[in-house]
Amino acid sequence: MSYISVENISKEFKIYHREKGFANIVKSMFARKYSIKKAVENINFSIDKGELVGYVGPNGAGKSTTIKMLSGILIPTSGKITVDGRIPYENRQENAMHIGVVFGQRSQLFWDLPVEDTFDLYRKMYLVDKTKFKRNLEFYTDLLEMKDFIKMPVRQLSLGQKMRANIAIALLHDPEIVYLDEPTIGLDVLAKENIRKFIQEVNKEKKTTVILTTHDMDDIEQICNRLIMIDKGQIIYDGKISDFKKRAEGENVLIVEYGDTDPVDFILTDTRIKLLQEEGKRKWFKYCKTEINTAEVISFVTKDRQVQDILLKEPEIEDIVKKMYRAQQVEVVS
Amino acid sequence: MIANWVSRTSVHLEIMKKAFKVSVTYKINTLFEFLSIGFDFFIQICVWTALYNGRNLVNGVSLSDMISYVMVSSFVSSLSYSGIALKIANQVKDGTIGNELCRPINYKDMIMYHEIGANLFHSICIRLPVVLLFGFLIKVVIPASGLNFLLFFISVIFGITIVYGLNFIYGMLAFWLKTSEYVNFISRALMTLFAGRFVPIWFYPEFLKKIGQVLPFRFITFEPMQIYLGKVDSHQTLVILLSQVIWIAALTIIQQIMWKAVQKHLVIQGG
């Protein structure tokens, strides 16, 4: 049996229609109008110990709902979740001892106190013994470069510093699993880099299973070995990152900026090249590497023409994601 | 079992310590709190002195009893202050309750001990010195006897338990109402009227007294104050303490039922 298993999980929310006014609030205590929204619908996946999984999807796809069910704070409407043999929502507090959770948009820290005070409290809360506490604190302080701000009141810290502290706190008790809900949201490139390296390091050193949600595809590309994509409450991809990238392989784009004097309207006689978009003197050509090589394309589109600039665009994971989201939408509309 | 209790208690103490530390952070606040309590006492003493207008007893209560009531009950009130209803309701409303629930600790304990820690600072480090200062200057009535003080102390602890029970219930209502606007109304209005914080229940008209009889609010400050001042005999004292225990039991059952229901269809809003 797998370490984390999610079987046929659905979660429905009642969306209540609110009315203004005190009388209506009182009335709404007894009878309320609502509609049902399915946040996730019949999802299945299983995760092995030590995996580093990226869980992505557009806003409102059901990512956070899944994380909340995995961490035991939401109860699924139907289906079954087991995490290391436990059912998280049936024994929330017991489950909480074994997991670490970071909600990127919400801080766990005492606003008015130095970071180390929150560490103290969490040491007691998670029954971490003193030697382990010291060892972990040193390890994290070092890796996350927290030395400069660990004695400063949280209200004086930058977003990146707070995020680092929150991640360290979630990992203080050496949880077997960590759920990171948008751990790099709002951070600059350097801070993101730092956090990514840290997550990888912890995963390698302590064999911690990591599930992270994000909107930043670089997070996934750089640190995860598996990708689960969800949209409209359903899983639309589950597999290796490399396989995912293969889907778009060969779909290259060549951007050519032509010189002033040239007649830029011409007919593409080669069907292997497609005109994607044009804007003034610029043209975007799409082609498949499996059908035609780049040199051929360049020589074809620049023949007898004055060229100012040529740009080659490799397929990026982000583009594939966009395409997949779009494909989903079209499906729903039709 | 015992080890479990010890570790839990040490977490509670740690939470209280941190909350205490947070309160100490803002030193200017402390100064203004001192001053505002002093002014408040001064005004209330003036008002009651004017109302008594030279009479010895009103409804069997002397002016010096009344002034003691003002001081000591303000201390009890600040010890038993609870704003957790609004805190819980707001956490439900903006979804931060999700954060709290990821921790391996009882949610109510977490939020309650945090506030008790802060209350200890405000009542013992700020209010008590002012009470003692005024008491020294104008002679506040000391407890009727040592036993009275002990029983007063117990009934204050019971009162605090009742306050947090009520507040937890108000707060949890937010799961159904999806708003927190109602909290101020129920907690403040009912408390001010029926706990006797502003005007002691001695001076209430009969019908208000009767309504107050069946509500738990008078057990928070008013009844402990009666014990302190020796206004009730030993039999009545026993009735007060017993009633408090019954209210605590009833509120505990209601909280359990609500918490079970909440967990069954918990909805965490946002993101």
Side-chain angles (χ1 to χ4, degrees):
Chain A
M1 197 172 153
S2 43
Y3 194 56
I4 298 176
S5 101
V6 171
E7 292 168 48
N8 302 320
I9 284 292
S10 296
K11 177 74 194 175
E12 291 171 356
F13 289 117
K14 286 177 182 169
I15 308 289
Y16 291 100
H17 307 298
R18 258 182 72 183
E19 284 158 274
K20 290 249 173 207
F22 182 73
N24 277 321
I25 291 174
V26 173
K27 206 169 75 188
S28 73
M29 286 174 79
F30 305 103
R32 290 174 296 177
K33 290 175 202 155
Y34 63 83
S35 52
I36 284 182
K37 185 189 176 257
K38 284 184 176 162
V40 297
E41 208 178 337
N42 234 349
I43 58 171
N44 288 283
F45 58 81
S46 61
I47 290 169
D48 291 326
K49 200 169 163 57
E51 271 195 282
L52 220 165
V53 181
Y55 194 54
V56 298
N59 288 322
K63 293 184 307 271
S64 292
T65 304
T66 315
I67 297 286
K68 281 167 189 162
M69 287 192 286
L70 283 169
S71 50
I73 59 180
L74 272 185
I75 300 171
T77 312
S78 64
K80 193 182 169 195
I81 297 178
T82 52
V83 176
D84 194 14
R86 294 178 299 270
I87 297 175
Y89 41 87
E90 276 180 10
N91 207 337
R92 184 175 51 78
Q93 282 188 44
E94 156 73 14
N95 187 62
M97 284 301 269
H98 300 273
I99 63 166
V101 187
V102 176
F103 291 115
Q105 315 209 39
R106 283 161 193 168
S107 176
Q108 310 254 31
L109 307 161
F110 282 102
W111 183 250
D112 294 306
L113 299 181
V115 179
E116 52 181 7
D117 279 284
T118 313
F119 281 113
D120 280 350
L121 177 61
Y122 276 68
R123 183 178 81 73
K124 296 223 161 129
M125 213 182 323
Y126 287 91
L127 312 171
V128 183
D129 65 64
K130 277 199 174 124
T131 38
K132 187 165 144 190
F133 176 74
K134 232 186 117 202
R135 198 185 52 222
N136 276 354
L137 192 60
E138 269 169 25
F139 181 62
Y140 298 146
T141 309
D142 197 39
L143 268 180
L144 288 167
E145 294 163 26
M146 296 196 298
K147 212 173 164 187
D148 300 333
F149 62 85
I150 199 154
K151 288 189 192 309
M152 268 161 61
V154 173
R155 65 189 134 87
Q156 292 174 9
L157 304 186
S158 72
L159 192 63
Q161 290 171 328
K162 271 183 280 191
M163 192 73 84
R164 279 182 268 166
N166 269 308
I167 292 174
I169 279 167
L171 289 163
L172 200 62
H173 55 292
D174 281 341
E176 292 125 47
I177 306 160
V178 268
Y179 303 110
L180 305 170
D181 196 1
E182 304 190 27
T184 58
I185 193 165
L187 303 187
D188 65 47
V189 183
L190 272 174
K192 278 183 179 176
E193 201 55 43
N194 189 319
I195 283 173
R196 283 175 197 149
K197 271 200 194 125
F198 175 75
I199 295 168
Q200 258 181 322
E201 187 70 26
V202 169
N203 171 259
K204 213 173 74 197
E205 285 280 310
K206 303 185 187 256
K207 303 277 167 282
T208 313
T209 309
V210 181
I211 299 179
L212 79 98
T213 77
T214 182
H215 285 291
D216 187 338
M217 290 314 293
D218 289 338
D219 286 349
I220 306 287
E221 207 163 353
Q222 288 177 22
I223 63 174
C224 297
N225 36 39
R226 180 172 161 196
L227 176 72
I228 298 177
M229 189 178 286
I230 181 171
D231 191 27
K232 305 213 159 43
Q234 284 171 326
I235 289 179
I236 56 174
Y237 180 84
D238 181 357
K240 283 188 191 153
I241 308 270
S242 51
D243 290 343
F244 184 74
K245 280 176 102 174
K246 263 189 210 143
R247 287 192 165 206
E249 201 151 58
E251 281 205 4
N252 290 32
V253 175
L254 189 74
I255 307 165
V256 184
E257 194 174 336
Y258 292 103
D260 280 332
T261 51
D262 259 290
V264 282
D265 44 328
F266 66 96
I267 300 147
L268 276 171
T269 47
D270 198 325
T271 50
R272 292 171 300 178
I273 308 169
K274 287 189 183 76
L275 183 66
L276 205 62
Q277 175 187 352
E278 51 189 323
E279 200 183 287
K281 286 173 280 179
R282 277 189 171 205
K283 281 180 191 288
W284 279 256
F285 299 102
K286 196 174 97 180
Y287 61 96
C288 261
K289 261 188 179 167
T290 45
E291 291 172 6
I292 182 169
N293 66 43
T294 311
E296 242 182 295
V297 178
I298 294 176
S299 79
F300 184 83
V301 298
T302 58
K303 211 165 127 194
D304 303 328
R305 282 183 177 81
Q306 203 185 326
V307 173
Q308 282 191 334
D309 203 2
I310 290 181
L311 241 152
L312 186 63
K313 243 181 102 192
E314 290 284 333
E316 270 176 58
I317 200 168
E318 192 124 2
D319 300 326
I320 314 168
V321 171
K322 265 187 215 151
K323 241 176 66 188
M324 286 190 76
Y325 290 166
R326 235 179 278 136
Q328 279 277 311
Q329 270 162 3
V330 172
E331 231 169 77
V332 171
V333 170
S334 56
Chain B
M1 185 70 187
I2 290 171
N4 207 332
W5 183 83
V6 169
S7 73
R8 245 195 355 244
T9 310
S10 96
V11 176
H12 297 163
L13 283 174
E14 192 69 28
I15 297 172
M16 281 159 69
K17 233 164 78 187
K18 296 302 173 201
F20 196 93
K21 214 173 151 185
V22 171
S23 308
V24 179
T25 314
Y26 296 101
K27 305 211 164 48
I28 285 287
N29 278 8
T30 309
L31 178 71
F32 280 107
E33 222 179 309
F34 259 122
L35 291 175
S36 89
I37 294 167
F39 275 114
D40 183 45
F41 282 175
F42 180 72
I43 292 164
Q44 289 211 51
I45 291 166
C46 290
V47 168
W48 286 109
T49 313
L51 285 172
Y52 267 75
N53 197 16
R55 274 171 292 184
N56 279 335
L57 286 175
V58 175
N59 286 15
V61 180
S62 70
L63 180 61
S64 82
D65 274 348
M66 195 48 234
I67 290 171
S68 307
Y69 183 91
V70 167
M71 309 264 169
V72 183
S73 79
S74 98
F75 176 69
V76 175
S77 297
S78 88
L79 254 187
S80 63
Y81 165 79
S82 180
I84 66 165
L86 195 62
K87 233 184 195 168
I88 296 170
N90 281 330
Q91 283 190 355
V92 171
K93 202 170 102 176
D94 65 20
T96 29
I97 191 169
N99 253 357
E100 310 283 327
L101 292 176
C102 287
R103 296 166 181 163
I105 179 176
N106 182 292
Y107 173 62
K108 185 191 168 192
D109 286 353
M110 174 93 197
I111 197 157
M112 177 173 85
Y113 285 108
H114 190 274
E115 193 165 81
I116 290 178
N119 284 352
L120 283 176
F121 171 78
H122 292 286
S123 18
I124 291 173
C125 300
I126 303 181
R127 200 165 285 261
L128 191 60
V130 188
V131 172
L132 292 176
L133 179 74
F134 270 79
F136 180 73
L137 290 175
I138 52 167
K139 283 205 189 129
V140 171
V141 173
I142 49 166
S145 74
L147 181 67
N148 276 56
F149 186 71
L150 181 72
L151 294 172
F152 160 75
F153 185 75
I154 294 170
S155 71
V156 167
I157 303 234
F158 285 169
I160 293 173
T161 316
I162 292 176
V163 165
Y164 281 96
L166 285 168
N167 267 272
F168 194 62
I169 291 169
Y170 301 155
M172 277 193 295
L173 282 176
F175 280 106
W176 287 272
L177 300 179
K178 312 281 175 214
T179 162
S180 58
E181 288 140 36
Y182 65 93
V183 170
N184 269 337
F185 171 74
I186 13 185
S187 62
R188 287 238 188 101
L190 293 181
M191 279 292 259
T192 313
L193 190 56
F194 292 109
R197 272 189 182 170
F198 192 61
V199 177
I201 296 173
W202 301 315
F203 305 116
Y204 277 27
E206 271 315 307
F207 82 97
L208 268 185
K209 266 190 200 169
K210 284 228 171 75
I211 300 172
Q213 284 294 320
V214 295
L215 296 171
F217 304 102
R218 66 193 165 100
F219 292 107
I220 298 159
T221 38
F222 180 70
E223 300 295 359
M225 281 310 298
Q226 296 231 75
I227 298 175
Y228 181 93
L229 295 169
K231 293 277 166 206
V232 283
D233 59 30
S234 56
H235 172 72
Q236 284 167 310
T237 305
L238 201 65
V239 171
I240 290 172
L241 292 173
L242 259 172
S243 314
Q244 286 184 313
V245 171
I246 291 169
W247 270 111
I248 291 170
L251 292 172
T252 309
I253 292 168
I254 297 172
Q255 288 173 74
Q256 296 279 341
I257 293 170
M258 284 178 88
W259 188 236
K260 281 245 166 71
V262 159
Q263 287 189 304
K264 213 174 213 169
H265 38 118
L266 186 58
V267 177
I268 291 157
Q269 311 207 38

